Amino acid sequence: MNKVTLTGHDLNTSILSHLSSNFDIEIELSVDAIGRIKKCREGLENTLKRDRVIYGINTGFGSLSEIKIDADKLEQLQKNLIRSHTAGTGELLPIEFVRGAMILRLNTLSLGHSGVRIDIANLIRDMLNNDIYPQIPKYGSVGASGDLALLSAMALAMIEDGDSEYQPMVDVKVSDGTWTEMKSFEALKFKGLKPVKLQAKEGLALNNGCQVSNSVSGHALDVIKKAFSVSLLAFGLSLQAINGNTSAYDSRVHDVRPHPGQTLISDVIRKVISGSKFLDTEKTRVQDAYSFRCFPQVAGSAYDILKLSDQILSTEMNSATDNPLLFEGSDDTLDSISGGNFHGAPIAHASDIASVAAVDLASISERRVFRLITNRFSGLPSFLTSDPGVSSGLMIAQYTAANLVSHAKSMCFPGSVDTIPTCEGQEDHVSMAPVSAFKLLEIAENYLSVVAIEILTACQAITFRAMEDKINENEGLSELTKKAFFAVRDVVPFLYTDEPISPHIRNIENMIHDGKLDFLAPLL
């Protein structure tokens, strides 16, 4: 079994996506992380002995923060917090998103500013390694003070509770590799684990932050990155299918508008199309349509935005996000500081800008599909069928791409510009990070599907172009696009007659998801 050690500092969107979807990877904490957690808890216990008033530890929560809680009720305070905040609803999240959120929460605790006992961190680790995943609903979070309702659903499955009626359902992998539902106590016992009895600060440390939103947005961005890499190959195939003009990709054009993304993408495009015999064959056509000619500018700008989004989400993954945060004081006690690291604005903003970039990329891809199937633009048979009229070819594949793009456009209104005050006005500005994250996820999948449709269409068009130009694909295509073309041909044949298109789209979608067309990753 592979192992990954969490340090509190090393996660990013690609690593999280990999860890979330590979359940055979064992998660452990670094020695330093364990030391930080223990030291912080020791400092908190020393601080509590001094009878200091600390928000959320011996006070109420939110607008109830002025209410002092007696020492003999501190444990009940934390249990009540988790019980009352488990208020989500809607469809259940896929297990990989729950796993991602649990990994992120453990990584946050490992920074040693949350005040939990090591038992809390160890139980999250053990649940991950024994495939016990709380059932978390989709709706209930406004992204401040974090994903409270959703993370509380996670925490409720961990805690000792004498009232069995409050025990939530969890998903558990059993010995034959299948999944089943159990009550949380039953699942823990089944795997040889024990629930924890929450002590001071620990409930708040488990539900304060936007790890569910971050898990969803991180997964979505990883999907977009996979689709983006393949989209450059799709572009190269489409350009060759129309006998495109390469002047727009001359380095001199991009040197005088030196946006980093544009410069990089133009460099990659030149590598992608290098050696093709299908290009620059129509000497009277001095320029192509914008969906081709302006692709380095559009994709380059999108690349810069996606890179920024990736940096923001990755930084969030390695951050302490609960409140209050605990820091080493002047003696053996801790300084407790109430701040706003739980606020999901970074996740919301990163998700919103990534959504805009992904939709624009999907839109320009669909426009190339339209041109490829349209005879007056491509010079190829209408709808890329040898018998137009009797056969409809790829006519409706473009309709599907148009539907995907239109749906994605409808989700581009930024969730982060909305806010509804909560908690009697104490929380008067919230992030709506989960709204942005879930929209990004849908947009990401739509974008990947559009790229799959362009790949399908471009490969069909390339074969017609090869017949038209009397150059077979193996001789005419550039080396990089040749690899993509024949990889696709292994699962999707040239369509001589009409047949259902959906299975072919799904096959290419799966190839993109599985990294089987990711030939350009080293260049990006």
Side-chain angles (χ1 to χ4, degrees):
M1 181 180 290
N2 297 324
K3 290 186 178 182
V4 168
T5 300
L6 299 182
T7 66
H9 306 290
D10 300 323
L11 290 180
N12 59 40
T13 58
S14 296
I15 292 172
L16 181 72
S17 182
H18 179 68
L19 296 180
S20 299
S21 57
N22 288 277
F23 295 89
D24 60 338
I25 298 177
E26 185 176 341
I27 305 297
E28 59 183 20
L29 286 169
S30 70
V31 173
D32 287 346
I34 293 170
R36 288 192 296 265
I37 292 170
K38 290 181 175 180
K39 184 177 181 180
C40 185
R41 183 65 194 186
E42 181 181 357
L44 175 59
E45 291 177 352
N46 290 334
T47 305
L48 289 172
K49 292 175 184 177
R50 309 293 174 88
D51 199 31
R52 296 179 186 173
V53 177
I54 307 175
Y55 168 75
I57 298 178
N58 50 20
T59 74
F61 305 106
S63 62
L64 303 176
S65 61
E66 301 301 318
I67 299 177
K68 178 73 163 58
I69 307 300
D70 294 336
D72 62 347
K73 295 182 179 179
L74 297 187
E75 292 182 3
Q76 188 64 42
L77 174 72
Q78 298 300 315
K79 182 187 288 188
N80 286 350
L81 172 73
I82 298 304
R83 281 183 178 179
S84 65
H85 285 41
T86 304
T89 190
E91 63 189 90
L92 298 177
L93 297 184
I95 294 174
E96 59 265 34
F97 295 166
V98 177
R99 178 174 165 86
M102 292 172 70
I103 291 170
L104 290 176
R105 198 69 218 168
L106 183 57
N107 201 54
T108 289
L109 298 180
S110 75
L111 291 169
H113 296 290
S114 300
V116 300
R117 290 165 296 148
I118 193 63
D119 295 353
I120 300 292
N122 285 344
L123 182 55
I124 298 175
R125 176 203 65 195
D126 292 343
M127 290 173 71
L128 287 164
N129 294 336
N130 286 277
D131 290 318
I132 302 174
Y133 298 101
Q135 293 185 349
I136 298 179
K138 181 176 181 179
Y139 298 111
S141 171
V142 295
S145 301
D147 295 324
L148 291 173
L150 312 185
L151 288 174
S152 292
M154 177 198 78
L156 189 65
M158 299 171 55
I159 69 174
E160 180 181 331
D161 197 326
D163 296 308
S164 60
E165 63 181 295
Y166 296 142
Q167 291 309 305
M169 301 300 293
V170 298
D171 291 305
V172 184
K173 185 184 284 187
V174 294
S175 57
D176 65 357
T178 61
W179 293 89
T180 188
E181 291 184 341
M182 292 184 186
K183 287 276 193 177
S184 58
F185 272 16
E186 295 172 2
L188 292 171
K189 184 178 180 180
F190 176 70
K191 294 286 189 173
L193 305 176
K194 294 182 179 180
V196 291
K197 189 174 183 179
L198 294 180
Q199 296 183 10
K201 180 63 166 68
E202 291 178 336
L204 197 58
L206 287 172
N207 75 359
N208 216 209
C210 284
Q211 278 71 39
V212 174
S213 296
N214 204 359
S215 175
V216 172
S217 58
H219 176 84
L221 193 63
D222 193 59
V223 171
I224 292 170
K225 289 190 291 185
K226 289 178 179 178
F228 181 82
S229 176
V230 177
S231 77
L232 301 180
L233 292 170
F235 169 81
L237 288 165
S238 296
L239 184 69
Q240 291 170 91
I242 65 160
N243 292 140
N245 186 304
T246 64
S247 63
Y249 319 112
D250 190 305
S251 62
R252 291 169 292 182
V253 172
H254 306 284
D255 288 343
V256 295
R257 196 191 194 192
H259 293 293
Q262 180 177 330
T263 300
L264 174 65
I265 298 306
S266 63
D267 288 345
V268 172
I269 286 173
R270 288 193 296 276
K271 292 181 175 70
V272 166
I273 62 178
S274 176
S276 172
K277 296 180 180 179
F278 290 119
L279 299 172
D280 297 319
T281 60
E282 297 187 20
K283 302 303 181 182
T284 59
R285 192 172 79 218
V286 296
Q287 61 182 22
D288 295 320
Y290 284 10
S291 56
F292 289 94
R293 182 165 29 121
C294 301
F295 186 62
Q297 289 77 8
V298 174
S301 179
Y303 178 86
D304 287 337
I305 290 172
L306 294 172
K307 187 175 181 180
L308 174 60
S309 180
D310 199 5
Q311 290 170 345
I312 293 170
L313 294 175
S314 297
T315 297
E316 181 73 10
M317 291 177 182
N318 300 292
S319 299
T321 59
D322 43 308
N323 178 59
L325 291 171
L326 305 174
F327 299 91
E328 188 172 354
S330 57
D331 48 21
D332 61 350
T333 64
L334 297 177
D335 291 335
S336 172
I337 303 178
S338 287
N341 281 5
F342 50 72
H343 199 284
I347 299 170
H349 294 156
S351 299
D352 286 339
I353 62 174
S355 293
V356 171
V359 169
D360 204 22
L361 289 167
S363 178
I364 200 169
S365 177
E366 182 279 327
R367 288 292 79 199
R368 292 192 294 269
V369 170
F370 180 80
R371 299 191 79 85
L372 288 175
I373 66 169
T374 304
N375 169 262
R376 72 179 186 275
F377 295 138
S378 68
L380 301 174
S382 294
F383 307 119
L384 300 177
T385 177
S386 55
D387 195 8
V390 173
S391 298
S392 297
L394 294 180
M395 175 195 293
I396 306 303
Q398 185 263 328
Y399 286 38
T400 302
N403 171 242
L404 289 163
V405 171
S406 184
H407 181 227
K409 288 176 181 178
S410 75
M411 292 184 287
C412 263
F413 184 82
S416 60
V417 303
D418 184 32
T419 179
I420 297 177
T422 57
C423 201
E424 295 186 327
Q426 176 76 356
E427 299 166 3
D428 58 351
H429 182 277
V430 300
S431 72
M432 297 299 177
V435 175
S436 299
F438 282 110
K439 289 199 301 182
L440 178 64
L441 180 65
E442 284 199 62
I443 288 170
E445 294 292 351
N446 283 16
Y447 170 44
L448 184 143
S449 294
V450 173
V451 172
I453 291 171
E454 184 178 0
I455 285 278
L456 171 70
T457 307
C459 287
Q460 182 79 357
I462 282 291
T463 297
F464 275 113
R465 178 58 64 197
M467 290 187 283
E468 179 80 15
D469 293 358
K470 297 181 173 56
I471 305 173
N472 69 45
E473 301 95 333
N474 192 50
E475 293 176 353
L477 285 170
S478 67
E479 286 302 314
L480 282 171
T481 57
K482 186 190 304 181
K483 288 176 65 176
F485 177 85
F486 285 108
V488 171
R489 280 288 170 260
D490 284 341
V491 297
V492 178
F494 177 76
L495 305 180
Y496 289 96
T497 58
D498 279 354
E499 59 183 88
I501 307 299
S502 297
H504 299 315
I505 297 173
R506 282 194 293 270
N507 283 336
I508 299 174
E509 289 170 346
N510 291 335
M511 292 180 75
I512 299 172
H513 272 296
D514 296 342
K516 294 180 179 178
L517 293 173
D518 198 11
F519 306 129
L520 300 183
L523 303 179
L524 297 171

